[in-house]
Amino acid sequence: MTEYTDHHGPVGLRVRGTIVVVPGRGETRATYTRLGRRLAADAYRVRVVDAPELRPDDLDASLDRLATGLADAVAGTAGDQGVTDPVVLVGADTGALAVAALLGRADLPPGLRPAAAVLAGPPGDRAATPGTWDDELAVRTACPAHRGALTDDAGVRRGALGTPVPPGLTARARHDGTGGLPVLLLVGDADPLADRAALARTAAARPRTRLSVVRGAHHDVLNDLQHRSVAAEVVTFLETLRNALVPVVAVESSTW
C-alpha cells in the first residue's frame, strides 16, 4: 500500500503549488478525496498522508516522526524542476494541531519548509462524548455524501473523536505554532469540539493569521455541506500567497 494519495491537476496547466493534507482522528486518506480533487482542479499538486499517531506518552517523538514523514512527502512530489512552491500544509482536527505545533519548531527537517498552513477544525481540549456512530456523524457533518463516505470506509476508526487530544498538544499549537507563517484557520460555527473564543484570540494576536468561520458547518469543516465554499476559501488563501496576503478580489459595495 502506498504511503500517500496523490491528486494531479489538469494536463497542460502549470502547477501552482504543493499541498500536503494531514487527516485527523479516525480519518483515512480517502476522507479527503473530494477536497484533493477539487484543489487539484485549480492546478495544485495535492498529496494526502496518513493521519499521524500522536502518542500522549511521547508527544515530542510523535511530532518528530510527523515532521520527517511530511518532509519525505514533500520531497516525493518533486518533478524535473524540483518541488513546486509554495508548499502549504493542510491539517484537520488533531492533524491541524500537530501541523501548528510543528510550524513553531526551529529544528524542522531541511526538506520541510512550508510557506503557509491551513488549520481546519482544530479542537479544544474537550473530546466528543462517546456514543453511537450516528452520534459521531452528527458531530462531524451534516453532508449526506460525507456521512456515506465515512460509513463505507472500513479504514475509518469509529469512536475516534472520543479519544482525548494529547495533553500539551493544544497549548503547543496555540502558543508555539505558526512560526510567523501565514495561516488560515477554518472552523464551523456548529462545531461542538472547537474553542472558537481561543481561536479568535489566536488570530487577533497574529497579524498573518486569518480566521474564517463557516456558517452551519460541523467539525469536519473541509467536508461538510459547505465544502465547495470552503474549498474556494482555501484557494483564495493560496492565491494571496503570491500577492503579499492581499486578496486579489475585493468587494467594494454590496446591497445583499
Side-chain angles (χ1 to χ4, degrees):
M1 180 180 293
T2 181
E3 297 179 6
Y4 319 113
T5 299
D6 288 328
H7 301 278
H8 301 279
V11 175
L13 293 184
R14 179 175 60 88
V15 178
R16 297 185 65 78
T18 302
I19 301 170
V20 180
V21 180
V22 182
R25 288 170 292 181
E27 297 176 327
T28 69
R29 298 192 300 271
T31 305
Y32 292 92
T33 297
R34 182 169 63 182
L35 175 72
R37 289 174 176 171
R38 183 160 284 130
L39 297 180
D42 276 306
Y44 286 91
R45 173 72 182 275
V46 182
R47 171 162 282 187
V48 185
V49 303
D50 287 325
E53 180 185 0
L54 301 170
R55 295 181 52 184
D57 59 337
D58 199 353
L59 188 55
D60 286 331
S62 298
L63 292 173
D64 287 343
R65 287 192 296 271
L66 175 60
T68 300
L70 290 177
D72 290 344
V74 171
T77 67
D80 294 339
Q81 305 300 318
V83 176
T84 303
D85 292 323
V87 173
V88 179
L89 302 180
V90 177
D93 182 59
T94 50
L97 295 179
V99 166
L102 287 181
L103 295 180
R105 297 178 66 167
D107 58 345
L108 289 177
L112 185 59
R113 292 290 181 265
V118 177
L119 309 178
D125 293 320
R126 184 171 63 87
T129 303
T132 66
W133 177 234
D134 284 342
D135 293 332
E136 183 169 352
L137 287 176
V139 172
R140 286 188 175 276
T141 180
C143 176
H146 184 45
R147 285 181 170 225
L150 291 172
T151 299
D152 294 341
D153 185 349
V156 168
R157 289 190 299 108
R158 300 189 179 194
L161 286 186
T163 304
V165 176
L169 181 60
T170 303
R172 294 188 192 199
R174 289 178 182 164
H175 300 300
D176 302 329
T178 78
L181 296 177
V183 170
L184 171 62
L185 288 170
L186 284 167
V187 62
D189 70 0
D191 182 354
L193 303 185
D195 187 341
R196 283 179 54 194
L199 293 175
R201 290 193 297 270
T202 297
R206 294 173 178 163
R208 306 188 84 194
T209 296
R210 168 177 162 186
L211 173 61
S212 294
V213 179
V214 183
R215 295 175 182 171
H218 297 69
H219 186 60
D220 292 2
V221 65
L222 293 172
N223 282 306
D224 211 350
L225 285 171
Q226 305 82 357
H227 59 90
R228 294 177 181 83
S229 296
V230 171
E233 181 76 358
V234 172
V235 171
T236 296
F237 172 71
L238 296 173
E239 293 297 311
T240 67
L241 299 178
R242 296 179 175 81
N243 196 38
L245 299 184
V246 177
V248 176
V249 177
V251 178
E252 295 188 355
S253 64
S254 174
T255 57
W256 293 359

